[in-house]
Amino acid sequence: MSPAIHQQRQRMTHFLDIHNTDTADLRAILDHANAMKTARAGRPKGTPDDEQPLAGHMVALIFEKPSTRTRVSFDVGVRQMGGQSMVLSGAELQLGHGETIADTARVLSRYVDLIMIRTFEEAVLHELAEFASVPVINGLTDDSHPCQIMADVMTFEEHRGPIKGKKVVWSGDGNNVFASFAHAAKQFEFDLTFTGPEVLDPAQVLDGLYTIERNPEKAVEGADLIVTDTWISMHEAQSARERRHNLLRPYQVNADLMSHAKGDALFMHCLPAHREEEATSEVMDGPHSVIFDEAENRLHAQKAIMRWCLGE
Ligand code: CP
Ligand code: NVA
């Protein structure tokens, strides 16, 4: 690698995960997200923001897995900030037919100014970022979902003020979304408890970032926020369905479990949800739930992430 290319890569501002992003930058992104949300409150979704920081910028949105929120919120966010975007499925790219990640990264960097990718293995994301000469954003991998958790922290603070020192309890599968919560717990200084069956414990690499309490009712005592997610993520085999359901049923977030948390505890779910499985409709549509604010804040948080990546 030539020294010039090496230097260029060093300078690149990717958003790949929460734990390797500077804490002050994370806080600045959230401040910016809040300001942008306030500035366009009440306007039709298709109207441009007053500021157009992405004017002249082209953004590629690559999806190797399905998506509703990530796909639409990134696309709308780019347009509101004056940029242009293209949504690409992995299957329709040569990537799905054997072209390497490195070559894909080099080629796309000649056409676009920013790449967002939703993929399977975390290694694919890192390879794309290594070989791209434009910033890369993680739109979910098997191991992490940092954009989601930025929106979640924003949502919590919108409703309850600073998350620092608060108690967050995750009930269910120790999956990719949990992993990004664990990274955020360290960066934003909140307490995180995991409650779920031992065989679905989070990845060992996260040890030390959270505590475990197997009993869900005990786990949620004093909780300010209860979070759950699907029992079967997109990268998990559907053949594991029955086993996972049997293991996870005791960790369903229902009205009874919520009643053991603080009276004003919030409920979050990144969505899509399987109603009456990981959470009941009574909780999802009840007074503690902020799931649709969470979904909306994906838009605002990601707009701030894109601006940060592009230095705009
Ligand atoms: N929460 C989330 O990332 O949703 P999508 O899979 O619909 O993008
Ligand atoms: N854990 C889920 C999150 C979906 C947004 C999955 O990976 O399928």
Side-chain angles (χ1 to χ4, degrees):
M1 194 188 303
S2 77
I5 293 178
H6 183 72
Q7 259 194 359
Q8 192 182 16
R9 280 192 198 157
Q10 295 287 313
R11 277 204 310 271
M12 197 59 57
T13 310
H14 302 299
F15 187 76
L16 304 181
D17 46 44
I18 289 182
H19 59 308
N20 290 320
T21 303
D22 191 75
T23 312
D25 284 358
L26 294 172
R27 183 49 71 189
I29 288 169
L30 289 186
D31 289 348
H32 216 161
N34 280 307
M36 281 194 288
K37 179 174 182 177
T38 304
R40 62 165 299 118
R43 291 196 198 171
K45 317 290 188 293
T47 54
D49 288 347
D50 292 338
E51 286 186 82
Q52 295 283 279
L54 261 64
H57 288 96
M58 183 61 77
V59 181
L61 307 171
I62 305 174
F63 290 90
E64 295 197 277
K65 290 174 177 169
S67 170
T68 298
R69 279 141 288 267
T70 308
R71 179 186 164 132
V72 177
S73 57
F74 265 103
D75 200 353
V76 170
V78 170
R79 294 179 201 210
Q80 289 181 349
M81 294 194 293
Q84 296 183 68
S85 59
M86 65 189 73
V87 177
L88 304 161
S89 81
E92 70 197 5
L93 293 172
Q94 298 290 9
L95 186 62
H97 301 276
E99 185 165 22
T100 66
I101 304 292
D103 286 348
T104 304
R106 291 176 179 121
V107 170
L108 288 180
S109 300
R110 300 289 179 109
Y111 303 134
V112 306
D113 304 294
L114 178 64
I115 302 170
M116 191 288 313
I117 184 165
R118 165 168 289 193
T119 187
F120 290 87
E121 291 168 31
E122 186 98 359
V124 169
L125 170 79
H126 287 282
E127 195 176 345
L128 192 80
E130 185 185 347
F131 289 95
S133 54
V134 298
V136 172
I137 296 175
N138 177 358
L140 179 144
T141 71
D142 295 354
D143 297 330
S144 61
H145 198 4
C147 290
Q148 178 68 54
I149 279 41
M150 291 297 281
D152 291 0
V153 172
M154 179 179 172
T155 308
F156 182 89
E157 296 195 330
E158 212 169 53
H159 285 269
R160 294 285 181 268
I163 198 167
K164 183 174 175 177
K166 299 292 188 191
K167 179 175 178 180
V168 177
V169 179
W170 179 279
S171 187
D173 181 22
N175 66 12
N176 48 359
V177 179
F178 175 81
S180 289
F181 252 111
H183 295 149
K186 185 159 184 216
Q187 296 281 42
F188 291 102
E189 300 177 71
F190 58 84
D191 293 326
L192 180 63
T193 299
F194 171 81
T195 185
E198 195 172 345
V199 287
L200 298 176
D201 271 353
Q204 270 185 358
V205 68
L206 302 169
D207 285 357
L209 297 175
Y210 64 96
T211 52
I212 296 183
E213 169 53 64
R214 298 285 169 214
N215 180 327
E217 290 182 5
K218 268 177 114 172
V220 302
E221 275 172 21
D224 297 286
L225 168 64
I226 298 179
V227 196
T228 191
D229 186 15
T230 179
W231 288 343
I232 307 172
S233 286
M234 292 181 273
H235 61 281
E236 303 286 354
Q238 280 298 326
S239 55
R241 186 182 162 84
E242 196 180 331
R243 175 176 161 270
R244 282 179 161 265
H245 275 231
N246 289 337
L247 284 165
L248 287 159
R249 204 161 288 120
Y251 299 94
Q252 180 191 68
V253 182
N254 50 38
D256 181 51
L257 189 64
M258 287 302 301
S259 74
H260 289 84
K262 275 191 181 164
D264 67 348
L266 297 177
F267 170 74
M268 286 192 196
H269 188 311
C270 64
L271 305 177
H274 301 80
R275 286 172 177 258
E276 316 313 330
E277 292 182 8
E278 68 268 16
T280 58
S281 287
E282 190 181 2
V283 169
M284 292 183 64
D285 301 327
H288 300 277
S289 176
V290 289
I291 55 175
F292 299 113
D293 292 340
E294 226 186 319
E296 175 183 343
N297 284 338
R298 294 292 303 281
L299 169 67
H300 308 295
Q302 288 158 192
K303 285 169 71 176
I305 291 168
M306 287 190 274
R307 289 186 74 159
W308 176 78
C309 285
L310 290 167
E312 297 289 349

